[in-house]
Amino acid sequence: MPIALVGLDADDTLWHNETVFRLTQQRFVELLTPFADEQDLETKLGATEKKNLGTYGYGVKGFTLSMLETALDVCGEDLPASIVQAILAAGREMMTHPVEPLPGVPAALERLAAQYRLVLITKGDLFHQESKLAASGLGEFFRGVEIVSEKSAATYRTVFARHGSGEGEALMAGNSVRSDILPALEAGGYAALIPYPLVWEHEAAEKPTEHPRFRVLEGLTELPDWLATLP
Amino acid sequence: MPIALVGLDADDTLWHNETVFRLTQQRFVELLTPFADEQDLETKLGATEKKNLGTYGYGVKGFTLSMLETALDVCGEDLPASIVQAILAAGREMMTHPVEPLPGVPAALERLAAQYRLVLITKGDLFHQESKLAASGLGEFFRGVEIVSEKSAATYRTVFARHGSGEGEALMAGNSVRSDILPALEAGGYAALIPYPLVWEHEAAEKPTEHPRFRVLEGLTELPDWLATLP
């Protein structure tokens, strides 16, 4: 069965995201260097974030709460109100940050949308992801939007069945081996990895280099050509 | 066409929610009474929450950030770290608060599920709503779960079409006139209002008392009987 459905990740596949997190993290570290050294701050923030994933899930609001918790942890009773204010402001700025499509993405989506059913498949904060899609101006290319709390093989099976006629004709493209590639392959689909220069530690995983339904691409612009070669 | 699809709201329809918000709000007020009077604190928190809806959307994480913002607003540079800590803890407690089904709900769902396709339709935080459904033990009764960022007539049309064969055979039940009743009626469905003793100010709206497809019920337990009378 030829590919009919193309699932696309959003953050760091269609637009910059990890860069925004890293910039905010730098700002957090600068704010708190009077209280602890840089390496220590980064490690503590990473650990707090990871610990809180099970309570807050993914997204900027949870990240903001984790920054505040880390600041409290580091400063104790000496935490100045000005730092609380600066962290809240940094979080709010992330929520309202302009959405910047990656180079070539709008043209590649236009080309793909002419031939395939495109579905955005992203995890994270429902409200923020919808806001970003609206701000990106890319919404018109998608026939469906699926914002999910976790990207598992079961998630892909459900989405592939809902928007297509099953996994055999579905392909997922994204920048995370752990979230976009491995579970989509496990669900029986094809998978295209489009690496982003920065990878959140939590998403790191080994590429399934030898898998027959897997390919690494340099950009979304290469996807239509690979799709054309598939049976 | 007989009703085939029953949409159900979650917070304050299946389980307590506003009560948890009010208790947290009381705690917030107690924490800050040394800095401002009660009425003033409630008004300020409500205004901050409302102002932030467009940035944070619905849910506990946004509410926690709004409590912090209000505390900063009230205390300025004098905001003690201990209050920041207490607010973070209160927010975390809301996220992990036990989910308590309203009286009669499990039995009513069991009865409804035997005859209709049940779909949970709720707005708010994706991750938190999924966690609450899992914790409630009520997940097995639902054939679909739709967590949406806003409940508009367009939202109901999409959900009714996705899980049923359209609005004529769909009914929505919930506690909010603004979110569960008016848009579901506008989408062409039936709507059952099941009032909860507390209503969040933002959700207040006038009941469409005269509407032929609308009914006020005292509890979910009354829904099967109303459904049985529908054409």
Side-chain angles (χ1 to χ4, degrees), chain B residues 27 68 91 97 124 161 228-229:
Chain B
R27 208 156 134 193
L68 288 162
H97 192 275
T229 69

Side-chain angles (χ1 to χ4, degrees), chain A:
Chain A
M1 218 170 0
I3 300 284
L5 172 69
V6 173
L8 288 146
D9 173 52
D11 290 339
D12 295 329
T13 297
L14 302 183
W15 50 67
H16 294 286
N17 178 63
E18 187 60 20
T19 308
V20 182
F21 271 86
R22 298 285 172 105
L23 286 171
T24 308
Q25 192 173 316
Q26 269 176 33
R27 209 156 133 193
F28 171 82
V29 167
E30 280 160 25
L31 281 168
L32 288 167
T33 33
F35 298 89
D37 77 41
E38 193 176 321
Q39 188 51 53
D40 200 30
L41 286 165
E42 279 178 12
T43 310
K44 279 198 163 126
L45 178 58
T48 308
E49 237 188 307
K50 202 170 162 186
K51 174 190 70 125
N52 285 339
L53 272 185
T55 312
Y56 295 147
Y58 299 94
V60 169
K61 285 174 288 189
F63 180 64
T64 308
L65 292 168
S66 290
M67 285 195 285
L68 287 162
E69 185 178 330
T70 309
L72 265 170
D73 185 30
V74 168
C75 306
E77 285 182 11
D78 299 327
L79 177 67
S82 61
I83 289 187
V84 177
Q85 182 130 43
I87 292 173
L88 280 182
R92 174 186 300 278
E93 232 166 81
M94 288 179 86
M95 290 297 289
T96 54
H97 192 275
V99 176
E100 201 188 329
L102 290 167
V105 160
L109 287 180
E110 191 173 358
R111 217 178 130 195
L112 289 166
Q115 241 187 309
Y116 308 95
R117 260 193 317 280
L118 304 190
V119 177
L120 189 81
I121 308 175
T122 178
K123 69 188 179 194
D125 186 88
L126 174 64
F127 180 80
H128 192 203
Q129 292 293 13
E130 287 189 356
S131 308
K132 285 195 281 191
L133 181 60
S136 74
L138 302 173
E140 56 165 325
F141 298 120
F142 291 94
R143 303 272 283 273
V145 175
E146 296 285 345
I147 299 167
V148 299
S149 57
E150 197 60 72
K151 285 173 162 175
S152 63
T155 309
Y156 285 108
R157 265 184 220 110
T158 306
V159 174
F160 291 165
R162 176 179 281 177
H163 296 277
S165 51
E167 64 275 7
E169 48 140 55
L171 178 144
M172 177 67 192
N175 73 303
S176 165
V177 174
R178 182 174 181 275
S179 295
D180 301 317
I181 305 305
L182 300 178
L185 290 172
E186 192 189 331
Y190 288 78
L193 178 70
I194 305 170
Y196 185 80
L198 301 170
V199 178
W200 182 29
E201 193 192 323
H202 181 73
E203 293 291 342
E206 205 167 322
K207 285 195 276 283
T209 320
E210 302 298 318
H211 197 292
R213 298 195 309 276
F214 170 71
R215 187 69 65 91
V216 183
L217 305 177
E218 282 190 22
L220 196 62
T221 43
E222 291 183 359
L223 185 56
D225 292 340
W226 184 40
L227 277 162
T229 69
L230 296 180

Side-chain angles (χ1 to χ4, degrees), chain B:
Chain B
M1 217 169 1
I3 300 284
L5 172 69
V6 173
L8 288 146
D9 173 53
D11 290 339
D12 296 329
T13 297
L14 301 183
W15 50 66
H16 294 285
N17 178 63
E18 187 62 20
T19 310
V20 181
F21 271 86
R22 297 286 172 106
L23 287 171
T24 308
Q25 191 173 315
Q26 269 176 33
R27 208 156 134 193
F28 171 82
V29 167
E30 279 160 25
L31 282 168
L32 287 167
T33 33
F35 297 89
D37 78 40
E38 192 176 320
Q39 188 50 53
D40 200 31
L41 286 165
E42 279 177 12
T43 310
K44 279 200 161 123
L45 178 58
T48 307
E49 237 188 307
K50 202 170 162 187
K51 174 191 70 124
N52 286 338
L53 273 184
T55 311
Y56 295 146
Y58 299 94
V60 170
K61 285 175 287 188
F63 180 65
T64 309
L65 292 169
S66 289
M67 285 195 285
L68 288 162
E69 186 178 329
T70 309
L72 265 171
D73 185 30
V74 168
C75 305
E77 284 181 13
D78 298 328
L79 177 67
S82 60
I83 289 187
V84 176
Q85 183 130 44
I87 291 172
L88 280 182
R92 175 186 299 277
E93 231 166 82
M94 288 179 87
M95 291 295 290
T96 54
H97 192 275
V99 177
E100 199 189 330
L102 290 167
V105 160
L109 287 179
E110 191 173 358
R111 217 179 132 194
L112 289 166
Q115 241 188 309
Y116 308 95
R117 262 195 315 282
L118 305 190
V119 176
L120 189 81
I121 308 175
T122 177
K123 68 188 181 195
D125 186 88
L126 174 64
F127 181 80
H128 192 204
Q129 293 292 14
E130 287 188 357
S131 308
K132 285 195 280 190
L133 181 60
S136 74
L138 303 173
E140 56 165 325
F141 298 119
F142 291 95
R143 302 272 283 274
V145 176
E146 295 284 345
I147 299 167
V148 298
S149 58
E150 197 59 72
K151 285 173 162 175
S152 63
T155 308
Y156 285 108
R157 266 184 220 112
T158 306
V159 174
F160 292 165
R162 176 180 280 178
H163 295 278
S165 51
E167 63 275 5
E169 48 140 57
L171 178 143
M172 177 67 192
N175 73 302
S176 165
V177 174
R178 182 174 179 276
S179 294
D180 302 316
I181 305 304
L182 300 179
L185 290 172
E186 192 189 331
Y190 288 77
L193 178 69
I194 304 171
Y196 185 80
L198 301 171
V199 178
W200 180 29
E201 193 193 324
H202 181 72
E203 293 292 342
E206 203 166 322
K207 285 195 275 284
T209 320
E210 302 298 319
H211 198 292
R213 298 195 310 276
F214 170 71
R215 187 69 64 95
V216 183
L217 305 177
E218 281 189 23
L220 195 62
T221 43
E222 292 183 359
L223 184 56
D225 292 339
W226 184 40
L227 278 162
T229 69
L230 296 179

